[in-house]
Amino acid sequence: MDFFTIVQLGDASVRMAIPLLLACLAGLFSERAGIFDIGLEGKMLAAAFVSAAVSYTSGSVWVGLLAGIGISVVLAIIHGIASITFKGNQLISGVAINFFAAGLTVVIAQGWFAQGGRTPSLPQDARFNGLDFPGALSRMRDKMQASPGMQFYSEFVSGHSILVYLGLLAVPLSWWILYRTRFGLRLRAVGEAPEAVDTAGISVVRLRFSAVIICGILCGIAGAYLSTAVQAGFTKDMTANRGFIALAALIFAKWRPWYALGACLLFGLFFAIDIRFSNIQLQIIWIMVLLLGCAAALTIYAVRREKIDVIVLGGLSAVLAAVAFTAWFATASADGISIFAALWETVKVPSQLIQSLPYLFVVIVLAGFVGKAIPPRAGGQPYVKER
Amino acid sequence: MSDIPPAIELVGISKAFGPVQANKDISIRVMPGTIHGIIGENGAGKSTLMSILYGFYKADAGEIFIAGQKTQIPDSQAAIAAGIGMVFQHFKLVQNFSVLENVVLGAEDGALLRPSLAKARKQLKSLAEEYELHVDPDAIIEDLGVGMQQRVEILKALYRHADILILDEPTGVLTPPEADQLFRILGRLKAEGKTIILITHKLREIMDITDTVSVMRRGEMDSTVKTSETNPADLAERMVGRKVLLRVDKTPAKPKDVVLEVRDLNITDAKGVHRLKGVSFNVRAGEILGIAGVSGNGQSELLEVLGGYEKATGEILLNGVPLDLTGAHSDGQSRRARGIAHVPEDRQHEGLIMDFSAWENTAFGYHHDPDYQINALLMDNAAILRDAQEKMDRFDVRPADPLLSAKNFSGGNQQKIVVAREIERDPDLLLVGQPTRGVDIGAIEFIHQQIVALRDAGKAILLVSVELDEIMGLSDRIAVMFDGKIMGERLPENTNEKELGLLMAGVTDGESA
């Protein structure tokens, strides 16, 4: 692997991390205020569709972005009305928004553009294009021959759309809001002890609605990024469960902005590996070492835990081990060689395995493999004054 | 004096929660610079009245005058602006915030935190010096003891320039030395001209510290009197509406054989915290062993092990036969089969299923009893219902309607249902945790009589309570727990609250001198 490949991998990681990061920060604001939001996915998807459709129709990507944010905020307010005003179940409201967005985007897209539930491909000026920094090389051939520093500058630093830089900027901004402002103090307090906020004479309802609206704005940007910057148009289910991965990243990040950046970059790396190395070749022995190593680590961890984790993690390691041995023996029998000789055979790693990496990691994160994460104490509970 | 307007005057306050009239036409006057007690049974409407004054609830009718000015208090913000501060029974603190952040929350000076925090730090220092309220401003709330957390609540109110401080059952969670310290602080606040309203159900506190006292009964104001012109028996009578025995009436115990023997019991919880540290004691037939201590010092875990739903190491013998402590062969059911009845500490979560009817609740834990079965498959609901009705009549549960859900009974009547269920099975050993927490005085008297009657029938009783009065009045022997250890055993006739209080705070004889 040469240096330029690593730079390209890093570049792709950042690009793939941005929608996760925006959604993760969206979830962070909402959950820190005590409102669980499983509807990040639905809000992103609705925003992806609306911004692509409006960009295409109006010809301006900025109008599209605003429209995407708009629909996402509307859905966020619906979630707020259900869970704050009417004290409903936050999970159910979130799930409803996901179903609503998954179905309606395709139906409206079909009715509007009649292209099988997708929007037409967006022309160049109705998209967010990469910003070329001064002095950055743009042609691939020039980049490959440039010095490592120039490669890093041209490929990794320069060339992203403005939303990428905005997303990265959102991290320190979120941190500053949460930990350095009055609003942030109150927001964190309302997710931990709404009764403390209420008795201090501050409106719990208003605070939680502000948090939910911020969540809507960030989800809107994330969705618009997918359909107007990563791709040129909306396709069915294009968010591909990123809203849920963002929730896993949020737990991994222990509800903190800087950790969220790290978690999302890690998930971004998995997606980038999928893009760049979809047909990676490895010797069987390395596949065995990797898979059995993971299985062993999971098992060792699982035995120290409660029953349910033993079942989940134990099952996962059994699957990994089964995949490893199947690959080994299948190679041996296919090539008609001894199983020991087969260890040194080089095979193509199935792309499905690579694709499943981020999702596999989600399971591991949620099984508590990364240490104990303590959610906001009042999370998920509507605030009712006690009698 | 008559030309000074009262600090607070409430006129004709009424408040209903659905069909329940929590406050009925209540009027009260509190003079500035005094400590005014409000006393009443649970559910008498004390907390509701004060929550209305603090803007937490809105009154249906009535007027509020602060320092002679008619004042509207639609929310807590307005109450704070009117100079009212409130320390709730359950603290309203953000557990993972620092003291400073909790004090500042809601009273920030601007959109940015840093200047507010700096100002609060300076203010806290001067408040600490003025009122002896020393707290580390950077400590995280969850690392502080309850006494300290209460100070933070008081500081919160003072930081908001409260002239009137309302404290709701402030001593419920404190050790006696901590309570004494709180009263010193309150005395100091009074000397500085603050007005203090103290809500409590403890007669002793009222007599010790207040200047005037108002008695509430069933949502109505019974009377307001000068503390110097009344006495505990008189107040108790006003609270309940009839004469009550404040002392438990019992003869000396006649202990027989050892029923329960606990040897070197240890528990380490999932977080690795050592909850019980080598606890040993025994209980004989025909005696009540009282375990005193501030809650959270291992008493709950002790009851859970004995009740069969917590694992431990060590040895427990019941009538000389060991009990399973590994959790593999034990649960509440098997313990009951061995003759251990359990009135758990938290009756709403462990003692009852609140949404189930009273008759179902009277059978729980004993529902495999052959009397309750028609055959191997079907339960004999009619038999349970008959049985429940009988128990409810005998224990004077009101209303005596077995079809009513447990949640519709008052605390005292809920507890009577639990006690009836456990006592009526003729156990060898009765475990009782906080038998009278949230129970009104009339029912306390009844429950205490039942426990003593069971003792006189030759049963062993292990009583765990955080109420020292209850421990002193009911026990034949007293063991004090602190930090998972038994600090010592005393006989009630040879000890006093001060000595027990020191033991509860972990101070042993050697250190106290």
Side-chain angles (χ1 to χ4, degrees), chain A residues 56-93:
Chain A
Y56 178 78
T57 321
S58 70
S60 160
V61 69
W62 289 100
V63 175
L65 174 68
L66 282 181
I69 291 174
I71 185 70
S72 176
V73 167
V74 166
L75 291 177
I77 288 174
I78 291 174
H79 183 56
I81 290 171
S83 54
I84 304 168
T85 313
F86 292 109
K87 307 185 194 326
N89 186 310
Q90 300 172 5
L91 290 183
I92 292 178
S93 162

Side-chain angles (χ1 to χ4, degrees), chain B residues 3-153:
Chain B
D3 52 340
I4 304 173
I8 299 170
E9 183 170 13
L10 303 180
V11 181
I13 297 283
S14 291
K15 171 76 183 172
F17 292 104
V20 183
Q21 190 75 36
N23 285 163
K24 253 178 278 180
D25 191 25
I26 289 186
S27 299
I28 185 174
R29 291 161 68 101
V30 179
M31 297 309 290
T34 62
I35 300 185
H36 187 106
I38 296 185
I39 194 164
E41 296 193 327
N42 278 60
K46 303 167 295 205
S47 298
T48 305
L49 184 67
M50 289 303 117
S51 296
I52 288 170
L53 182 55
Y54 190 64
F56 209 54
Y57 299 133
K58 257 180 236 154
D60 302 334
E63 292 176 334
I64 299 172
F65 296 88
I66 307 286
Q69 297 284 310
K70 188 173 175 195
T71 312
Q72 298 289 339
I73 303 187
D75 52 32
S76 301
Q77 188 101 59
I80 293 167
I84 301 172
M86 182 150 176
V87 177
F88 287 85
Q89 188 175 1
H90 303 287
F91 303 146
K92 311 289 185 188
L93 296 171
V94 184
Q95 289 291 315
N96 57 0
F97 276 22
S98 70
V99 169
L100 211 52
E101 287 173 317
N102 267 289
V103 167
V104 157
L105 181 67
E108 306 91 342
D109 296 308
L112 296 184
L113 271 186
R114 213 185 282 261
S116 305
L117 291 175
K119 185 187 143 198
R121 190 182 292 276
K122 218 179 288 168
Q123 281 261 298
L124 279 192
K125 209 166 166 202
S126 71
L127 284 173
E129 274 155 24
E130 203 172 339
Y131 301 106
E132 288 179 48
L133 284 162
H134 294 279
V135 186
D136 171 13
D138 296 310
I140 302 299
I141 296 297
E142 57 197 347
D143 299 335
L144 295 176
V146 278
M148 276 294 175
Q149 294 193 8
Q150 192 169 53
R151 277 191 193 185
V152 177
E153 284 284 23

